[in-house]
Amino acid sequence: MSLLHLFDLDGTLMYGSAAPVEISRQLGLSAEIAALERAFGAREMGPHEFSVAAHALWAELTPAHVRAAFEGAPWLTGIREVWREIRERGDYCAVISLSPSFFVELLLEWGAHAAHGSVFPEVPFTRPVDAAGILTPEGKVAVADRLCAQFGVGRADCVAYGDSVTDALLFEAVSVSVAVNAPPCLAERATHVYEGRDLREAYRLVEARPEVQAS
């Protein structure tokens, strides 16, 4: 049976930052997005409210800004190498993130089999955000289940990589999890804990295929 590796983006594949932060940096709106991030982290606003506020903040966003944010982000080392190895082993890799789909989907260029984010309108924006398309922690699990069906695997064949409380439900749903640069509240729920900036090292923690498949 193949394995499905499920990667969070913000704070996991990206070290110490997040897609909204990098996008806002391109627009000179770092202070504004920091305030939204603090409110989200304090649970003063949920994913829907955050997305609507970010959409309003990014009124001047262009595809060039998005590309510059993606290329300038502090990515972990070895992402493409890990995904290439996953493919060569006959396994699957996917990204599931609360961040905007127009950013998350760029990771398909690096070899992910699938990439799912909160559904935003096309850039530059001419339409509002549809709340129904914004991912939540519960929504991450639902996307994972759809990916399991797509690739012909079960939750017992999944490995989740994440860094925050928004990944906790997914960690509980799958057999094996890797907390990447995560706080104690998530690390204590994880099968493995990784601190560092090289995804190849985090991936190496998941070596026992029988442990994943027998769960």
Side-chain angles (χ1 to χ4, degrees), residues 15-93:
Y15 183 82
S17 190
V21 172
E22 298 303 317
I23 292 166
S24 299
R25 191 191 316 278
Q26 296 298 320
L27 296 168
L29 297 169
S30 294
E32 290 83 352
I33 199 66
L36 292 182
E37 291 277 353
R38 283 193 297 271
F40 182 75
R43 301 187 182 181
E44 295 170 1
M45 59 168 52
H48 299 94
E49 293 85 356
F50 180 91
S51 296
V52 170
H55 175 273
L57 194 63
W58 298 334
E60 304 302 319
L61 189 64
T62 67
H65 290 130
V66 176
R67 177 59 66 175
F70 183 82
E71 293 181 351
W75 300 104
L76 293 192
T77 301
I79 295 173
R80 280 171 278 197
E81 291 86 344
V82 167
W83 291 353
R84 186 183 312 118
E85 182 172 335
I86 287 172
R87 283 177 168 271
E88 290 172 350
R89 295 182 66 163
D91 293 335
Y92 303 99
C93 53

Side-chain angles (χ1 to χ4, degrees), residues 178-201:
V178 184
V180 180
N181 298 315
C185 64
L186 186 70
E188 65 189 12
R189 305 175 187 226
T191 311
H192 305 287
V193 176
Y194 174 70
E195 298 283 340
R197 301 189 66 163
D198 193 327
L199 188 63
R200 293 167 295 189
E201 296 172 352

Side-chain angles (χ1 to χ4, degrees), residues 92-104:
Y92 303 99
C93 53
V95 182
I96 308 176
S97 172
L98 302 188
S99 278
S101 51
F102 61 76
F103 189 98
V104 179

Side-chain angles (χ1 to χ4, degrees), residues 143-166:
V143 171
D145 285 338
R146 293 201 299 270
L147 290 171
C148 283
Q150 177 182 342
F151 296 122
V153 301
R155 288 186 178 184
D157 309 303
C158 292
V159 182
Y161 304 74
D163 78 301
S164 74
V165 68
T166 61

Side-chain angles (χ1 to χ4, degrees), residues 129-152:
V129 174
D130 182 355
I134 303 304
L135 277 185
T136 62
E138 295 82 3
K140 280 189 156 190
V141 178
V143 171
D145 285 338
R146 293 201 299 270
L147 290 171
C148 283
Q150 177 182 342
F151 296 122

